[in-house]
Amino acid sequence: MTTQHQIVDSSLTLGQNQIISCDSDRSASEKEKRKSQDESQKHLNGCVPLSHQVAGHKYGIDKVGILQHPDGTVLKQLQPPPRGPRELKFYSMVYDEHCCDPVLLDLQMHLPKYYGTWTPADAPNDLYLKLDDVTRKFNKPCIMDVKIGQKSYDPYALKEKKDQQIRKYPLMEEIGFLVLGMRIYLVNTDSYETHDQHYGRGLIKETIKDGLTKFFFNGNNVRKDAVTASIQKVQKILQWFESQSQLHFYASSLLFVYEGLPQQTAQMKRNAGSLADVSAAPKGCPTDGEVLEYNNNVCVIGSMENGRTVTSLGQSLSNMYALHKKGCSQGHYNDVPLQIETSEQDNSLWKRTTPPNGNDNKPQLEKESHHMPAVMQRPNEVEVRMIDFAHVFPSNTKDEGYVYGLKNLLTVLQQILNN
C-alpha cells in the first residue's frame, strides 16, 4: 500500500470515528433530555404546562409559570413576596365564604373561579393558586390578554422599575391599555395565529384599532358578534369600577375568549359531545373503587397522585404570609395544612345551585337537559375576565387609571364594530 493510500485510509477512519463520536454524543444528549423531561413530568404530578397561554410567566421558561391540572383547572404558581402573597390575599378576600361585601360579591362574576391553593405531593413547599380555566368550554378558543390602566407599575415600585415599565410601552399612559398577546383560530386554514407582547408594544394610537381587529378576524371575516359580546362584558366591568372606591388595580389584565369555530360546526360538536356524555359518568365523579378527595369546592379523583389542594380560607392570611415568606427565604414556598372542603361538579349535564358568593358547603346538582345543556347553547358566548392581581391595593378613591383604560378600550372596540 502506498503512502498516499495510507493517508486516505487514515483520514477515512478518523472521519468515521468522528461521526460515531458525534452520533454517540447526540444520542447521550437526547437521552439526558428525555430523562430530564420524564423527571420534570413526574415532578408535575400529571400536570402539564398550559398549552394555550398567550402571555405572562411560562412554565419551563420563567422561574414561575402556569400549569393545567388533570381535573382541567389552571394552576398559577405563587410569585415571590410581596407579589405572590398579595395576589393570594386578594383571591382569598374576594372568595371568602363569609364575605358579605356587595362590592366583592359583584366582583366575583368578573374573575376566574378560585378553588384555593394547591401543592404537589412531592414538592410540599411549592404553592399554586387553583383557578378555573375560562377557555375550557370552547372548541377552538381565541384568546387575548390585554393589560389595563395608565400605569403598569404600582405606587410602591422603585424608580428603576417605573422607568423600565415606561420604556417597554411609553404610550401606556395615553392609550390606557396594552395587548400582551393573542391567539386566533383561522377557519380558512384550520390553524392558529399567535402574537406576543412585542406585537402589542408595536401598536401606536394610529394602528391600535387595526391591531385589535386582528384578534376578531378569523381568516374570512371580522367576527362582529364576538366584538359586540366583548363590548357588553367590558361595559359591565366598567360599571363595577365606576361603583367602587376601595381597590386600585395595577398591571392587571382582561382575558378575552371567544369560540373560533363557525357557529354551525361548534353546535354540531357540542351536540355530539353532549350525547356521548349522557351515557358517561359526569366529569369529576368517581367510578367504582375510586376515592374522592374534596378540596375547597373541587372534586379530584386519585388526588394524592396528582398533588393535593389546600385552601387558605380557614387560615389567617397573616399566617399564610409568614409561611410563604419563610419558604421563599429558603428558596421555595412553605406548605400549608390541608383543609377538607366540598365538591363541585364541572359537567355540562348538570347545573349547581350555590349561594351568591359561590362557596357553598353542599352544592345541589340538578339535571339540566338530556341533550343540550343550557351552558352550551350559546356558541357565540364570549368570556372577558379580570386576571393578574399581584398589584392590587386598598384605596378610598375611584381607580381612575383603570377606568380610563376601559373607556379607551371600549372606544376602540366600538370603532371596530362600526367599521
Side-chain angles (χ1 to χ4, degrees):
M1 182 180 293
T2 66
T3 303
Q4 184 176 4
H5 287 154
Q6 288 177 340
I7 293 174
V8 171
D9 289 344
S10 299
S11 298
L12 289 173
T13 303
L14 179 61
Q16 289 172 347
N17 289 336
Q18 287 177 332
I19 292 173
I20 293 173
S21 176
C22 288
D23 289 341
S24 177
D25 291 343
R26 188 181 299 112
S27 177
S29 176
E30 289 175 353
K31 286 181 180 179
E32 189 65 30
K33 185 178 180 180
R34 283 196 298 269
K35 181 180 177 182
S36 176
Q37 290 175 341
D38 291 341
E39 290 177 352
S40 176
Q41 192 64 27
K42 183 179 179 182
H43 172 70
L44 295 180
N45 298 277
C47 301
V48 295
L50 188 64
S51 61
H52 49 266
Q53 184 179 350
V54 297
H57 301 290
K58 296 188 178 181
Y59 191 90
I61 299 176
D62 302 297
K63 292 182 179 179
V64 295
I66 299 180
L67 302 173
Q68 188 143 39
H69 192 276
D71 66 9
T73 55
V74 169
L75 301 173
K76 181 178 182 180
Q77 192 169 4
L78 214 63
Q79 299 179 65
R83 291 172 296 170
R86 190 185 294 131
E87 185 165 30
L88 172 60
K89 180 179 179 180
F90 171 81
Y91 273 113
S92 300
M93 175 182 66
V94 174
Y95 282 98
D96 189 329
E97 61 182 336
H98 301 298
C99 177
C100 57
D101 185 340
V103 171
L104 298 183
L105 293 176
D106 288 343
L107 178 59
Q108 289 181 9
M109 71 179 69
H110 304 305
L111 310 183
K113 175 71 177 176
Y114 172 60
Y115 299 109
T117 54
W118 179 90
T119 186
D122 61 348
N125 295 314
D126 288 349
L127 197 60
Y128 293 80
L129 300 171
K130 203 167 195 291
L131 304 165
D132 185 34
D133 179 6
V134 299
T135 72
R136 194 174 173 185
K137 62 186 175 184
F138 298 93
N139 291 292
K140 298 289 186 181
C142 298
I143 310 167
M144 178 171 65
D145 186 325
V146 182
K147 184 182 290 187
I148 305 293
Q150 290 180 283
K151 296 178 181 178
S152 54
Y153 53 87
D154 64 57
Y156 303 98
L158 298 175
K159 185 179 184 302
E160 293 79 6
K161 177 69 173 179
K162 293 180 181 179
D163 294 341
Q164 178 196 51
Q165 291 298 314
I166 292 173
R167 282 196 304 271
K168 282 184 177 180
Y169 195 55
L171 296 175
M172 192 74 181
E173 188 167 356
E174 180 183 2
I175 294 178
F177 63 88
L178 167 64
V179 176
L180 294 178
M182 63 174 69
R183 183 174 186 256
I184 315 108
Y185 176 69
L186 303 177
V187 296
N188 57 333
T189 58
D190 188 26
S191 62
Y192 280 97
E193 178 179 330
T194 60
H195 298 278
D196 61 14
Q197 57 184 323
H198 300 290
Y199 170 81
R201 289 176 188 163
L203 299 176
I204 59 177
K205 197 171 182 179
E206 290 73 25
T207 61
I208 190 69
K209 181 175 72 70
D210 291 338
L212 273 183
T213 301
K214 185 179 287 290
F215 173 62
F216 297 100
F217 183 72
N218 65 4
N220 292 335
N221 51 67
V222 175
R223 287 284 304 276
K224 290 198 173 184
D225 60 318
V227 179
T228 300
S230 297
I231 289 174
Q232 294 170 352
K233 296 278 186 177
V234 176
Q235 284 174 337
K236 290 181 179 179
I237 294 174
L238 175 60
Q239 289 171 6
W240 182 84
F241 271 91
E242 294 276 19
S243 68
Q244 72 90 23
S245 58
Q246 61 190 62
L247 293 171
H248 276 201
F249 294 73
Y250 302 91
S252 183
S253 291
L254 292 184
L255 188 71
F256 290 76
V257 189
Y258 72 88
E259 177 59 67
L261 272 185
Q263 181 173 345
Q264 187 176 3
T265 306
Q267 189 72 37
M268 290 172 62
K269 282 182 173 288
R270 283 162 181 158
N271 279 329
S274 65
L275 289 173
D277 287 342
V278 169
S279 59
K283 193 171 186 178
C285 289
T287 57
D288 293 341
E290 289 182 316
V291 179
L292 280 177
E293 182 184 57
Y294 294 100
N295 297 316
N296 193 27
N297 295 338
V298 183
C299 180
V300 184
I301 297 177
S303 58
M304 289 313 295
E305 296 179 3
N306 295 318
R308 57 188 178 134
T309 303
V310 294
T311 173
S312 63
L313 300 184
Q315 182 179 17
S316 71
L317 289 171
S318 60
N319 288 344
M320 184 68 73
Y321 269 91
L323 285 168
H324 182 67
K325 188 173 182 180
K326 180 180 177 182
C328 286
S329 67
Q330 298 170 351
H332 46 64
Y333 306 116
N334 225 339
D335 192 18
V336 181
L338 176 66
Q339 291 190 347
I340 306 300
E341 290 292 336
T342 59
S343 69
E344 176 178 91
Q345 303 294 344
D346 183 10
N347 184 271
S348 59
L349 290 178
W350 302 88
K351 73 175 182 179
R352 58 182 180 270
T353 55
T354 64
N357 67 353
N359 288 286
D360 55 319
N361 289 327
K362 293 185 177 180
Q364 298 176 3
L365 301 179
E366 300 177 4
K367 200 65 175 288
E368 180 68 21
S369 168
H370 290 287
H371 300 290
M372 276 303 294
V375 71
M376 301 304 283
Q377 289 177 350
R378 300 185 296 276
N380 291 330
E381 184 177 2
V382 169
E383 290 288 354
V384 180
R385 301 296 179 100
M386 296 170 60
I387 59 172
D388 298 336
F389 307 109
H391 303 274
V392 177
F393 297 90
S395 177
N396 55 10
T397 61
K398 187 183 295 185
D399 191 345
E400 297 292 355
Y402 204 103
V403 168
Y404 177 90
L406 289 176
K407 288 182 176 180
N408 272 14
L409 178 59
L410 282 169
T411 297
V412 176
L413 291 174
Q414 192 62 52
Q415 290 173 351
I416 295 172
L417 189 62
N418 294 341
N419 288 343

